[in-house]
Amino acid sequence: MAAATIETCHVACCANRTPNVVSWSRRGTIAFGTCNSVALYDPQERKVVALLSGHTNRVNAVQWVHREDYGPERHLVSAGSDHRLIVWEFIQSVECKGHTGPVCAVDAIYMDNSQILVVSSASDSTVRLWLCTEGKEGKQRQYYLFYSLVKFVILSHFLFYHLHKAMCLQGHEDWVRGVEWASIGGELLLASCSQDCLIRVWRLCAKSGTDARPEDDHTVIKMKEDVFEVKEKDVSSVFALSLETVLAGHENWVYGVHWQPPFYRGDELQQPLSLLSASMDKTMILWAPEEGSGVWVEQVRVGEVGGNTLGFYGCQMSVDGSMIVAHAFNGALHLWCKDQDRKGEWRPGVVISGHFNAVQDLSWDPEGEFILSVGADQTTRLFTPWRKHDSQQATWHEISRPQIHGYDMQCLATVGRFQFVSGADEKVLRVFQAPRNFVENFANISGTSKEQLLTSSDSANLPEGASTPALGLSNKAVFQGKILKTCEDEKQFNSVSDQYQESYFHPLNMTEPPPEDHLLQNTLWPEVQKLYGHGFEMFCLASDSARTVVASACKASKAEHASILLWSTSTWRQLQTLPYHTLTVTQMAFSPDAQHLLAVSRDRTWSLWRRHPTTPDNPEPQFSLYAHTEKDTSIHSRIIWSCDWSPDGKYFVTSSRDKKVVFQHLGSVFSLGLTHKDPNIHQGGVTHTASAREMREREREQGPQCKQTRKVKKKVEKMSDNRKRSKIWTHFNDTDQTKAECRVCKTKVSYRAGSTKTCTDT
């Protein structure tokens, strides 16, 4: 039988929240830093083609190494908060170590001898130059960098590695956030952007000997030129720098500028005069000079309207200028494509998306058609395959953002076809149900029958969508009548409060995954119920296979808060409280037949709860403690983080920080690779002791079991009186008889092996 092959079909990720983290290659591949890795994304195929893992902390800057002949790039440079630079060639990499602080900017060029010259700046106040040779670690030269808030300098090279300041360009009135060069017919154009909301374009050209000292002609109006001289050995060169234009159009900080890359048309290299800028006002502007006058004007403005997010950190443009991309403060990528049918118009494109902070929990749809996930970025996201009519292969995309919260999300459990419960860093559980507009769009995108989905979802009572009111955390349902009324009255303001409508929802008819602004505003799910009962922030959730019971647990440092609460999904009433654990329950799992509930905790123990058969007098499901482990006899010695069941429900598994994965049976405990097996399984609150024959058989297989038990007893005897009282019995076993001692009354009892004795004084 051939081994099964597992391949990655989707990576849901987004760009890190730093300005220089996205770079577009001439091959069409977008490289961006995501967490501690570099993702290579193909916008045509709409999927991540590779993940480059090498950094141990956040990636802050990514840059393709552009070739002098403008051919496809082969190398990529990344820098991170781990103080390192990595030069990538496909999967292989070369590290550059030397910075003592997070590296925030990086660039590189090819040298004549196939070496790569890399320059980097970091928060250790240094700029370092690295000379990287294939297969070797980069050698460095160090220069100290003195930051300036309102100006930047042009550095010229002297004897290759020795740099000195040639010219200081003044004009910006706030921090300079980005600069980029372009070569136009023997001259250089330098674009700079700043927090003063302005973009300045500077022109740098070489001066001949006769032009170096021109006579002043007051009859000619021309821009002021700053002339400076650069000496290299015995040769001096004269350059003139002038301000080409000042571009004002953004209403907030301008974080990024990018020239359209040069390309060959036939045998002629062309550099389009097209400049792209991105700002915190959530817009990108494409600037270009007019053909007749040469005045720089705004050609295209695209961006995001609405939402409660900040703007863009940076921007990039494809080689042919048909696509532009920006990465936002919340990590999302925004892609726009030039409309081929309508000249001069751009439309939003489908692009990858994902959480921009830690993913805390996820859950599959009961039918296996989509995935719900929650993260510390305070969002709940839904991913499903997009089945296009003209393609055989489906690609996964985010098609809905059901919950945008004000607290970090922690846990999630699906309780129906289009219903889920979520918990965050708050004491409340929230229940959400899909609106009608989502069900229709889900059918269009996934290729599922719309009529079948609407029939199973009780479409008659479904709201059209949902919206979040100002300063609110609950998604309110929006029905069809309210949408029509809002559309009719949106231009009639009777008071100041009427100008800011609570409902921002607009129904969509989507045949492809929505862009970021629609995800933020038009794909919310209404909140149908709040569940109160926990005293601290939520930590974990679980639902049974029948989708009738939900179990929840919160953070706890005392036993009174560590109880598990059971909820009915039909009435959303609290069914039962299950007390056993003394610290936070870290995970829970129902058995496949929904008859058992397994829970693991920070107190290093697990508990197993059995479901009682329902009766006409008591139709609600009830659970009782069926089995558990004690802290001093548990196989795990550290916090137990996770648990799960085998598909047949006969075995369950627990994993702990002590690097152990333990497989256990409903009737007995067994483990792999462990020398000590606990013979005492607590069932239903009654201590069951192994018989003498069982003990002798275990001694032959594993050595004297009683020695291990006596070690436990000696360890317990050294505890304080309060800790002794928490454990009523201490057991140790001999081959002939079993002895027990009550911790409270100190009564010693001897009885036959295999029998059970209790102390009447307790």
Side-chain angles (χ1 to χ4, degrees):
M1 182 178 178
T5 58
I6 300 176
E7 60 180 9
T8 303
C9 62
H10 177 63
V11 178
C13 58
C14 68
N16 289 335
R17 302 164 77 180
T18 55
N20 306 305
V21 78
V22 178
S23 182
W24 204 326
S25 75
R26 303 185 70 86
R27 295 178 182 269
T29 303
I30 300 176
F32 61 91
T34 174
C35 194
N36 301 346
S37 304
V38 178
L40 302 182
Y41 176 71
D42 188 346
Q44 300 293 340
E45 297 292 333
R46 300 185 177 96
K47 66 178 182 179
V48 174
V49 295
L51 272 178
L52 307 179
S53 300
H55 289 281
T56 57
N57 209 328
R58 186 184 67 176
V59 177
N60 295 328
V62 174
Q63 180 63 50
W64 288 100
V65 184
H66 301 299
R67 296 172 55 178
E68 190 174 357
D69 59 356
Y70 302 103
E73 296 87 352
R74 295 177 54 248
H75 294 88
L76 178 71
V77 183
S78 62
S81 295
D82 55 0
H83 311 170
R84 295 188 303 164
L85 287 86
I86 299 181
V87 181
W88 304 88
E89 182 181 11
F90 301 107
I91 304 300
Q92 300 177 352
S93 62
V94 176
E95 293 186 6
C96 303
K97 300 178 181 178
H99 281 294
T100 58
V103 186
C104 53
V106 66
D107 205 347
I109 59 172
Y110 286 107
M111 305 299 293
D112 296 336
N113 52 1
S114 299
Q115 294 178 326
I116 301 176
L117 180 64
V118 182
V119 59
S120 61
S121 65
S123 59
D124 58 7
S125 301
T126 63
V127 174
R128 296 173 185 257
L129 299 180
W130 313 79
L131 193 61
C132 298
T133 306
E134 186 174 355
K136 298 181 180 179
E137 186 173 314
K139 299 180 180 179
Q140 62 169 313
R141 292 289 182 93
Q142 171 180 326
Y143 301 90
Y144 284 94
L145 174 66
F146 299 91
Y147 290 100
S148 173
L149 299 184
V150 296
K151 59 185 179 181
F152 55 93
V153 297
I154 295 178
L155 299 176
S156 64
H157 71 280
F158 179 68
L159 296 180
F160 184 69
Y161 276 130
H162 298 81
L163 303 178
H164 67 275
K165 184 173 74 173
M167 176 62 65
C168 179
L169 307 183
Q170 296 186 1
H172 286 294
E173 299 178 353
D174 210 330
W175 291 11
V176 177
R177 283 295 184 179
V179 294
E180 184 154 335
W181 291 94
S183 177
I184 307 291
E187 296 181 344
L188 294 177
L189 291 180
L190 175 66
S192 62
C193 59
S194 169
Q195 290 182 183
D196 59 7
C197 308
L198 298 178
I199 302 167
R200 292 176 176 263
V201 180
W202 315 78
R203 184 179 294 271
L204 178 66
C205 60
K207 287 285 188 178
S208 62
T210 57
D211 297 335
R213 291 176 294 274
E215 296 181 359
D216 292 337
D217 188 356
H218 299 287
T219 62
V220 179
I221 300 176
K222 59 180 180 180
M223 297 293 294
K224 178 185 176 181
E225 290 184 345
D226 293 322
V227 180
F228 61 95
E229 186 177 2
V230 176
K231 293 183 178 180
E232 184 176 355
K233 296 183 180 179
D234 298 331
V235 180
S236 63
S237 302
V238 180
F239 297 91
L241 191 140
S242 61
L243 180 63
E244 174 75 10
T245 184
V246 178
L247 305 178
H250 289 291
E251 299 176 355
N252 208 329
W253 297 355
V254 185
Y255 255 90
V257 287
H258 180 70
W259 294 96
Q260 181 177 344
F263 61 91
Y264 278 98
R265 178 169 293 175
D267 297 333
E268 182 182 358
L269 180 66
Q270 295 186 356
Q271 170 65 66
L273 278 178
S274 183
L275 179 65
L276 181 66
S277 62
S279 169
M280 276 291 168
D281 61 5
K282 297 191 284 190
T283 64
M284 282 199 301
I285 299 179
L286 197 59
W287 308 87
E290 287 185 330
E291 294 183 2
S293 62
V295 178
W296 286 76
V297 295
E298 174 185 320
Q299 298 286 332
V300 176
R301 181 189 290 261
V302 296
E304 184 180 303
V305 179
N308 56 355
T309 60
L310 296 178
F312 298 145
Y313 257 149
C315 55
Q316 293 283 303
M317 187 186 306
S318 63
V319 176
D320 58 359
S322 63
M323 291 188 290
I324 55 178
V325 67
H327 61 285
F329 182 80
N330 61 352
L333 294 177
H334 298 255
L335 179 70
W336 281 271
C337 305
K338 187 180 295 185
D339 198 327
Q340 302 298 331
D341 300 330
R342 300 178 181 179
K343 186 177 181 180
E345 294 192 9
W346 295 69
R347 56 177 177 81
V350 179
V351 71
I352 191 175
S353 63
H355 292 278
F356 63 85
N357 212 331
V359 179
Q360 300 290 2
D361 199 2
L362 59 84
S363 179
W364 277 95
D365 161 51
E367 302 295 330
E369 293 187 353
F370 60 83
I371 295 176
L372 281 165
S373 63
V374 294
D377 59 358
Q378 304 181 352
T379 63
T380 302
R381 303 179 186 236
L382 187 147
F383 301 89
T384 193
W386 177 29
R387 296 177 174 86
K388 295 172 287 186
H389 299 291
D390 57 348
S391 177
Q392 298 292 335
Q393 187 176 5
T395 56
W396 283 75
H397 297 275
E398 180 185 358
I399 67 166
S400 178
R401 204 162 294 173
Q403 184 182 11
I404 301 176
H405 206 33
Y407 295 95
D408 292 355
M409 304 300 299
Q410 291 294 337
C411 49
L412 171 79
T414 55
V415 292
R417 188 68 173 90
F418 294 111
Q419 195 175 41
F420 70 91
V421 185
S422 66
D425 281 340
E426 57 177 348
K427 305 174 185 179
V428 184
L429 288 170
R430 300 175 186 268
V431 185
F432 295 86
Q433 187 172 9
R436 181 187 181 91
N437 188 244
F438 167 79
V439 177
E440 294 175 349
N441 291 327
F442 174 77
N444 296 335
I445 295 173
S446 63
T448 312
S449 172
K450 184 186 302 185
E451 291 75 13
Q452 182 179 357
L453 292 178
L454 291 175
T455 302
S456 62
S457 303
D458 189 15
S459 59
N461 300 322
L462 288 180
E464 192 67 22
S467 65
T468 303
L471 303 179
L473 295 177
S474 302
N475 296 349
K476 291 187 176 181
V478 178
F479 292 90
Q480 185 67 31
K482 190 174 182 180
I483 297 175
L484 296 176
K485 183 179 179 182
T486 303
C487 295
E488 293 173 358
D489 300 340
E490 63 181 352
K491 294 184 180 180
Q492 300 177 5
F493 300 135
N494 298 323
S495 63
V496 176
S497 60
D498 291 338
Q499 300 179 25
Y500 304 96
Q501 300 288 336
E502 284 192 357
S503 176
Y504 293 101
F505 168 76
H506 297 283
L508 303 173
N509 184 15
M510 297 183 298
T511 58
E512 63 180 19
E516 182 70 16
D517 55 344
H518 286 318
L519 287 172
L520 289 170
Q521 196 164 290
N522 299 319
T523 62
L524 294 172
W525 290 16
E527 181 181 311
V528 297
Q529 192 73 37
K530 290 186 180 70
L531 307 180
Y532 298 91
H534 288 285
F536 288 93
E537 295 87 348
M538 301 306 306
F539 198 84
C540 61
L541 280 167
S543 62
D544 63 349
S545 57
R547 312 295 173 183
T548 58
V549 178
V550 172
S552 62
C554 68
K555 295 179 181 179
S557 57
K558 298 180 180 179
E560 58 183 304
H561 301 297
S563 300
I564 301 171
L565 302 186
L566 299 183
W567 309 85
S568 169
T569 60
S570 58
T571 61
W572 295 116
R573 289 177 48 253
Q574 181 178 329
L575 298 176
Q576 196 177 0
T577 300
L578 306 181
Y580 171 72
H581 294 284
T582 58
L583 294 175
T584 305
V585 175
T586 55
Q587 191 173 8
M588 300 173 291
F590 282 92
S591 60
D593 59 1
Q595 296 302 309
H596 295 87
L597 172 62
L598 175 66
V600 294
S601 170
R602 282 182 54 206
D603 60 12
R604 298 174 291 179
T605 66
W606 56 260
S607 61
L608 188 63
W609 307 80
R610 177 191 281 180
R611 185 172 187 165
H612 294 294
T614 58
T615 61
D617 297 335
N618 189 11
E620 299 286 355
Q622 295 291 319
F623 286 77
S624 62
L625 186 61
Y626 176 64
H628 65 87
T629 55
E630 297 289 350
K631 187 184 299 184
D632 53 353
T633 59
S634 175
I635 295 177
H636 290 298
S637 59
R638 301 288 298 276
I639 177 175
I640 306 177
W641 276 120
S642 59
C643 61
D644 204 357
W645 291 85
S646 62
D648 57 6
K650 296 181 179 179
Y651 304 93
F652 60 89
V653 59
T654 58
S655 62
S656 167
R657 188 179 287 173
D658 60 7
K659 303 179 182 179
K660 296 177 183 177
V661 177
V662 181
F663 295 84
Q664 311 193 40
H665 193 272
L666 282 177
S668 62
V669 179
F670 69 95
S671 61
L672 299 180
L674 301 175
T675 57
H676 174 54
K677 298 179 182 179
D678 184 12
N680 299 325
I681 307 301
H682 300 272
Q683 299 180 347
V686 180
T687 302
H688 168 73
T689 307
S691 64
R693 175 178 293 181
E694 292 174 345
M695 293 303 303
R696 284 194 293 267
E697 291 177 355
R698 290 176 182 175
E699 286 180 5
R700 296 190 191 102
E701 297 176 358
Q702 306 173 12
Q705 184 69 38
C706 57
K707 291 183 179 180
Q708 181 67 26
T709 311
R710 289 191 181 100
K711 288 181 181 179
V712 175
K713 180 176 181 296
K714 291 179 180 179
K715 184 177 179 180
V716 172
E717 287 176 348
K718 296 179 181 179
M719 298 179 182
S720 63
D721 292 339
N722 290 334
R723 295 189 65 186
K724 285 181 180 180
R725 292 190 183 97
S726 65
K727 305 293 183 184
I728 300 300
W729 291 92
T730 298
H731 297 277
F732 62 92
N733 303 100
D734 290 331
T735 57
D736 297 327
Q737 63 181 0
T738 300
K739 299 179 181 179
E741 176 182 308
C742 179
R743 295 282 185 82
V744 178
C745 62
K746 302 298 181 182
T747 302
K748 295 182 180 180
V749 181
S750 298
Y751 52 94
R752 296 192 309 275
S755 62
T756 302
K757 188 75 173 180
T758 59
C759 179
T760 57
D761 296 338
T762 60

